[in-house]
Amino acid sequence: AVRQLASEGITKNVFWVGDVMLDANLANRPLARKKSTVLSDLGLAPASYSLVTVHRAANTDDPARLTNIVRALSRVGETVVFPVHPRTRGALAKLDEQFGDNVRLIEPVGYYDMMVLEENARLVATDSGGVQREAYFMRKPCLTLRDETEWVELVENGFNLVAGADTKKIYQCYREAVEKKMDFSLPFYGAGSAGNRIASQEQFKKTEDAVSREGFLRHARGNSLFKNLGNGKFEDVSDSA
């Protein structure tokens, strides 16, 4: 977002603070682990399944797209856990295609259960914008079951594969994602202190150099300073700053 604003000539009073959604995720993760029993309820071991959500009208209201998704998920040969949105359940009931035995359709889950399912999945496949970011927070590869995504930084750096609703492409992206080693340490969304940074105008003034035309990012944890080298590469220049 900062880069896009800079390309439009807007650099004054622009502050990179991170993502408040990550703040909420980190704050609630210990509670989710404590309160949720979803893994034991479903008899799931960590890293033994993939998690899928589909709810957008572009997929649920298009029988061809939904059929392709069903076929792709049935081919992956691994357990797929699919909390089914009510609209999606209605659309699935109208299809001639049936899921394979590897796909477990479950009722929609609450926030804590969803967090635990995301944290313990091998991979997340979704058409949800929020779940795409949550997958990165949880350090999981993500397949986007749409033809585009808002989170271009995740696509550009290989954490999110845009698979659309093509059966062959979904399957290929799935295999690529589970086999690929990914470094989830890049500070795209800060480190869970975005709310405090937004609230502290004084801190904004002190860290005004954090986001500039030169492409610097100041990590929200401590005072590490990263220079954006392009192509998803960052250089730690803390000692020279």
Side-chain angles (χ1 to χ4, degrees):
V2 172
R3 183 177 61 189
Q4 181 61 40
L5 287 171
S7 72
E8 297 176 10
I10 304 172
T11 58
K12 186 175 178 56
N13 294 323
V14 174
F15 306 99
W16 181 79
V17 298
D19 189 338
V20 292
M21 188 171 167
L22 176 58
D23 294 16
N25 184 282
L26 291 174
N28 283 283
R29 205 178 296 179
L31 288 172
R33 293 168 181 159
K34 181 178 180 179
K35 291 177 176 292
S36 175
T37 60
V38 68
L39 294 185
S40 59
D41 291 346
L42 296 175
L44 295 171
S48 68
Y49 64 93
S50 295
L51 178 66
V52 173
T53 75
V54 177
H55 75 278
R56 286 183 178 264
N59 286 326
T60 62
D61 295 352
D62 187 330
R65 289 179 67 90
L66 193 57
T67 295
N68 287 344
I69 292 171
V70 170
R71 290 173 177 170
L73 297 178
S74 299
R75 285 184 56 192
V76 299
E78 299 177 349
T79 298
V80 174
V81 176
F82 188 170
V84 186
H85 188 283
R87 178 170 61 191
T88 309
R89 187 174 292 278
L92 289 169
K94 298 176 184 178
L95 295 182
D96 294 331
E97 197 77 19
Q98 300 294 317
F99 280 109
D101 293 339
N102 65 306
V103 181
R104 297 184 61 177
L105 304 181
I106 65 173
E107 292 299 312
V109 296
Y111 183 59
Y112 287 157
D113 285 345
M114 187 64 178
M115 289 185 73
V116 168
L117 285 172
E118 289 171 342
E119 185 176 28
N120 290 280
R122 287 189 68 191
L123 172 148
V124 175
T126 185
D127 60 6
S128 164
V131 173
Q132 291 175 57
R133 296 217 307 292
E134 289 172 355
Y136 185 80
F137 299 162
M138 297 294 190
R139 297 173 173 254
K140 305 300 177 183
C142 182
L143 302 188
T144 294
L145 303 176
R146 293 163 54 191
D147 298 324
E148 71 286 314
T149 178
E150 301 83 2
W151 315 118
V152 293
E153 65 276 8
L154 298 181
V155 176
E156 290 173 352
N157 291 281
F159 304 112
N160 187 330
L161 303 179
V162 179
D166 177 86
T167 300
K168 183 177 180 180
K169 188 172 183 181
I170 293 171
Y171 178 78
Q172 290 175 337
C173 288
Y174 186 101
R175 300 315 323 167
E176 178 183 344
V178 296
E179 294 168 6
K180 184 177 181 180
K181 293 184 178 180
M182 299 182 183
D183 176 10
F184 288 94
S185 65
L186 293 175
F188 293 125
Y189 304 114
S193 60
N196 290 335
R197 292 164 72 89
I198 291 170
S200 175
Q201 184 64 33
E202 183 63 29
Q203 185 174 9
F204 284 165
K205 294 176 181 177
K206 291 180 181 179
T207 61
E208 191 168 357
D209 64 328
V211 181
S212 67
R213 296 175 187 273
E214 290 73 32
F216 286 93
L217 298 177
R218 187 175 295 280
H219 201 308
R221 183 185 291 117
N223 291 313
S224 298
L225 188 64
F226 293 85
K227 183 177 182 181
N228 187 347
L229 303 177
N231 297 321
K233 298 185 182 300
F234 292 80
E235 176 186 357
D236 188 338
V237 295
S238 304
D239 294 337
S240 62

